[in-house]
Amino acid sequence: MAQSAAGARGGSGIGAGIGSGAGMGAGAPRRFFGALWKYKFLYALAVPSLAFTLLFAYLPLSGLVVAFKDYDIWKGLLGSPWAARFGFEHFFEIFRLKPVIGSVGNTLLLSSLNLLIGFPMPIIFALLLNELRRPAFKKAVQTISYMPNFLSWISVIGLAIVFFGDYGPLNDLLGFFDPDRQRVLYLSRNELFLPFLLFLNLWKNTGFQSIIFLAAITGVDVQLFEAADIDGANRFRQAWHITLPSIAPTVSVMFILSIGGILSSNFELVFGLQNAFIDFETIDTVVYKYGLLQRGYSLATAVGLARGLIALLLTVAANGVAKRMGSTAMF
Amino acid sequence: MRKKSIGFGIFNCFNMAFMVLACAIILYPYLHVLVVALNDNANTAYTGMMLFPQKPTLMNFRALLSDGAIWHSAGVTLTRLLVGVPLTIFVNFTGSYALSKSYLPGRRAMVLILMIPSYISAGLIPTYILYARLHLLNSFWVYVLPVGFWFFGFILLRTYMYTIPESLEESAKLDGANDFLILLRIYLPLSLPIIATLVLFSAVTHWNDWTTTLYFVTNYRGLSTLAFELERVLREQDRVAKLIQEAIVHGTIPPSASSGTSEGLRNAQIIITTLPIIAVYPFLQKYFIQGIMVGSVKE
């Protein structure tokens, strides 16, 4: 038994050697298998995580080849013929089909507005929360505002359908001020669909997303505020000159994370809120409708692949810009 | 001490008023749904803003619960939780334990393999094609297997394990404990707070998910979940009509009340789907927040 303790200590030497790539001489294979045997228990524990990842995250990547083929379920991945134009036909198709290219525009519009409105709101909310002076009140506001995050999107849509319905509270409230008013089916108005998407997103996420910023604010050194107090800075100036610069790294990382999602939309929200009167598709609803419902597998995969590649590029680019500007980067 | 001035007195008032308004905007829609669900349907359609039911009744809930579909979908949802949550915890706990050991050769490569999919994913159609080949379509396992490994949960657990001092492991080894005992007797008990957080996150995700059913369960009769039943009630007119018909046949709802019945049933379904989460959340809040905090620590 004492041997195993000694082995663990000796093992860290071997591990460091292999990890850094040093000492890969003639004895490397033997050392590799030696390490494998020595740490068999730990490797065995890592197997489930790796196996699930390979099976459900890497293996589906092989299906991306569908984007370059005219996929036929009966012929399978390998048997299906390659698409025209050296396999890129379905990528050209994206630009030819009005609903598809239109959905790209809609997605960009929705994401940009979400970023413009939805990104700063949790920061503002966290700043305001931080200014609340009564702990019990602050706690109550936190508990209530975090709550919608735990409801499913379909429940949020249910609440919206009831609240904005023709006999819902909003119509009643407005009818109270103007008895002659016609009842409005708000959720069937095409021009109101985008504002609804933005509003419901704010309603569900603002509170919970403020947690990270609130934590960053709480982490600011108290001495900075005390010094500012002595120098005569009021609370607005303190928020502007101390709190905001202090949470800038957190804001920067969160912003980079959001940039990668600019071509993504929340399928649950957009699809769930759609009805017969709404003509607003995003990339995600188009992929579902053209891909799964109408079995246009190749086109939908091409849309998804193009989107994924652009998102990856955007994330890397945003990260690079953040680095150059001296803010905290993600990697 | 901070100086108090009239300007900030006014600011504080506005700030508090804003917060009260925000809370009302969050709470009122839910309260309204609850009130309408508990109100007599004959009375529902024109009552408008109410803070409590004018004619309290449980008829909507009785009507829904007399329909077999809701019990069946509740059963599927619970089975999903009972199978899916322990599986996710097992996979992520073992994986994060092994990969938290700095002396394990190849650790960086393995973590990289686990991390890359957070940036690159195959998308819906390739996933669908794979599930078809794995015979996961229209199978219960499509609910639990694909979420077996969960990178966020893995990071949460691993970050937590780094805080457990290595000296504990070393002294246990000197006392003759093997790796298995160390995992079971030291790391598992010490990780329980973060495991609780993970159980909650995982359970809420399973409970709230309805798109898996939409995408991958095409003959959904037998595998429908509570969240998916809500989607049907909200979006399929036929579903509500059938519920009303059944309720009248069963006698749980008087035929005369049918004018507001679809609204009443719909609201009751929203309440049934959300109540467990609303009821449990305030007491477990600190675990959720802890999860977010640990998770936001930079990798």
Side-chain angles (χ1 to χ4, degrees):
Chain A
M1 282 299 168
Q3 213 178 354
S4 83
R9 250 177 275 138
S12 46
I14 292 177
I18 288 183
S20 63
M24 285 291 211
R30 225 180 61 211
R31 273 191 221 169
F32 174 73
F33 287 111
L36 206 60
W37 181 247
K38 176 171 281 179
Y39 299 112
K40 56 186 180 299
F41 181 68
L42 290 179
Y43 284 120
L45 287 180
V47 164
S49 293
L50 290 168
F52 271 96
T53 306
L54 291 177
L55 189 59
F56 292 109
Y58 283 93
L59 203 54
L61 292 175
S62 67
L64 285 172
V65 73
V66 165
F68 303 97
K69 293 203 162 196
D70 290 324
Y71 183 65
D72 182 332
I73 335 170
W74 308 112
K75 291 180 186 154
L77 282 185
L78 296 175
S80 296
W82 292 100
R85 301 202 205 195
F86 306 103
F88 284 90
E89 168 62 16
H90 300 293
F91 292 89
F92 288 102
E93 217 178 345
I94 297 173
F95 297 95
R96 273 208 310 274
L97 288 170
K98 271 244 170 64
V100 178
I101 194 70
S103 78
V104 176
N106 284 343
T107 309
L108 278 173
L109 179 66
L110 176 60
S111 305
S112 317
L113 289 172
N114 259 336
L115 217 54
L116 202 70
I117 303 165
F119 187 77
M121 273 302 265
I123 303 173
I124 295 168
F125 192 72
L127 287 171
L128 291 178
L129 263 181
N130 189 51
E131 294 297 333
L132 290 179
R133 288 286 163 260
R134 292 164 207 262
F137 182 69
K138 185 177 171 186
K139 184 93 190 124
V141 173
Q142 282 176 293
T143 303
I144 293 170
S145 62
Y146 299 166
M147 191 262 304
N149 181 68
F150 296 98
L151 298 179
S152 74
W153 270 112
I154 198 67
S155 311
V156 174
I157 288 159
L159 295 179
I161 289 177
V162 175
F163 192 84
F164 299 108
D166 42 357
Y167 288 100
L170 186 63
N171 265 310
D172 285 324
L173 185 70
L174 296 175
F176 179 77
F177 294 114
D178 176 13
D180 300 329
R181 194 174 158 279
Q182 293 278 316
R183 288 178 180 271
V184 182
L185 266 166
Y186 293 102
L187 291 175
S188 301
R189 291 288 188 83
N190 211 21
E191 74 275 14
L192 291 178
F193 192 68
L194 189 62
F196 269 122
L197 295 179
L198 298 172
F199 172 74
L200 290 180
N201 193 46
L202 281 183
W203 188 84
K204 189 173 190 284
N205 292 332
T206 302
F208 202 70
Q209 285 175 355
S210 72
I211 292 180
I212 284 173
F213 298 112
L214 193 62
I217 293 170
T218 322
V220 179
D221 192 347
V222 187
Q223 291 183 359
L224 289 175
F225 293 111
E226 283 164 1
D229 255 347
I230 294 167
D231 290 345
N234 63 34
R235 263 158 68 187
F236 293 116
R237 303 198 67 136
Q238 288 180 15
W240 185 256
H241 290 292
I242 300 174
T243 315
L244 275 179
S246 304
I247 65 171
T250 311
V251 173
S252 156
V253 169
M254 298 305 285
F255 191 77
I256 295 169
L257 286 173
S258 329
I259 286 288
I262 198 149
L263 279 171
S264 303
S265 64
N266 181 346
F267 175 83
E268 291 183 65
L269 172 59
V270 181
F271 179 78
L273 207 61
Q274 278 175 342
N275 57 50
F277 303 97
I278 300 299
D279 177 30
F280 185 92
E281 302 289 346
T282 63
I283 296 178
D284 299 85
T285 60
V286 155
V287 165
Y288 171 69
K289 288 175 181 173
Y290 276 61
L292 279 197
L293 294 186
Q294 297 178 21
R295 295 174 191 274
Y297 298 117
S298 292
L299 172 67
T301 309
V303 174
L305 178 58
R307 188 250 300 267
L309 287 176
I310 296 171
L312 192 63
L313 280 177
L314 283 175
T315 306
V316 173
N319 196 57
V321 171
K323 240 182 208 166
R324 185 161 295 181
M325 284 169 61
S327 334
T328 310
M330 206 166 49
F331 43 71
Chain B
M1 285 274 50
R2 294 188 181 186
K3 277 177 282 182
K4 282 182 182 168
S5 70
I6 301 168
F8 293 118
I10 295 171
F11 167 75
N12 277 338
C13 282
F14 271 106
N15 194 11
M16 283 176 80
F18 170 76
M19 289 299 174
V20 169
L21 183 70
C23 290
I25 290 173
I26 288 166
L27 287 181
Y28 183 73
Y30 195 79
L31 182 70
H32 175 81
V33 167
L34 184 66
V35 167
V36 174
L38 288 171
N39 200 26
D40 194 315
N41 290 330
N43 181 280
T44 295
Y46 296 93
T47 43
M49 299 188 87
M50 297 183 290
L51 287 176
F52 45 86
Q54 292 180 334
K55 283 188 181 175
T57 168
L58 284 174
M59 69 158 90
N60 289 315
F61 290 95
R62 250 184 279 133
L64 269 186
L65 296 178
S66 69
D67 179 67
I70 200 155
W71 289 103
H72 193 88
S73 59
V76 173
T77 308
L78 282 181
T79 315
R80 186 175 166 173
L81 288 182
L82 290 175
V83 177
V85 175
L87 176 79
T88 300
I89 298 299
F90 172 78
V91 171
N92 288 282
F93 179 71
T94 52
S96 56
Y97 173 74
L99 298 177
S100 69
K101 299 290 169 218
S102 53
Y103 55 74
L104 186 72
R107 182 181 75 121
R108 277 167 185 277
M110 287 188 277
V111 172
L112 196 66
I113 290 175
L114 297 177
M115 190 177 71
I116 286 172
S118 342
Y119 297 98
I120 300 164
S121 83
L124 179 61
I125 305 300
T127 306
Y128 181 86
I129 292 171
L130 178 80
Y131 289 180
R133 283 162 71 197
L134 296 174
H135 300 285
L136 282 175
L137 297 184
N138 298 314
S139 150
F140 172 77
W141 297 106
V142 78
Y143 288 141
V144 292
L145 291 183
V147 289
F149 178 76
W150 180 32
F151 188 68
F152 174 71
F154 169 82
I155 289 297
L156 233 62
L157 267 166
R158 209 177 62 133
T159 311
Y160 196 83
M161 281 181 189
Y162 280 143
T163 64
I164 298 173
E166 267 180 54
S167 53
L168 274 177
E169 184 186 350
E170 279 161 21
S171 61
K173 273 187 176 154
L174 286 176
D175 290 342
N178 59 27
D179 285 332
F180 182 69
L181 274 180
I182 291 171
L183 173 69
L184 208 65
R185 294 276 173 78
I186 297 179
Y187 278 83
L188 186 62
L190 286 177
S191 307
L192 280 181
I194 199 71
I195 290 179
T197 303
L198 235 66
V199 165
L200 289 171
F201 268 111
S202 173
V204 168
T205 312
H206 273 296
W207 184 274
N208 283 344
D209 172 54
W210 57 279
T211 47
T212 305
T213 317
L214 183 79
Y215 294 148
F216 306 120
V217 183
T218 39
N219 58 346
Y220 48 68
R221 296 273 174 269
L223 284 174
S224 187
T225 60
L226 275 176
F228 192 70
E229 281 303 302
L230 177 59
E231 194 263 354
R232 288 180 65 200
V233 166
L234 292 176
R235 295 172 45 86
E236 291 176 23
Q237 294 301 317
D238 305 351
R239 174 71 191 141
V240 183
K242 189 167 161 282
L243 275 176
I244 295 174
Q245 211 175 20
E246 270 177 25
I248 291 171
V249 171
H250 287 299
T252 42
I253 281 181
S256 57
S258 58
S259 62
T261 303
S262 61
E263 189 148 349
L265 286 176
R266 197 173 60 187
N267 289 19
Q269 183 100 34
I270 296 175
I271 296 299
I272 288 175
T273 316
T274 51
L275 200 60
I277 286 180
I278 299 269
V280 156
Y281 155 70
F283 305 102
L284 301 174
Q285 198 194 155
K286 65 169 186 177
Y287 289 103
F288 287 116
I289 293 170
Q290 184 185 15
I292 280 293
M293 300 309 303
V294 178
S296 66
V297 173
K298 216 176 129 189
E299 167 50 1

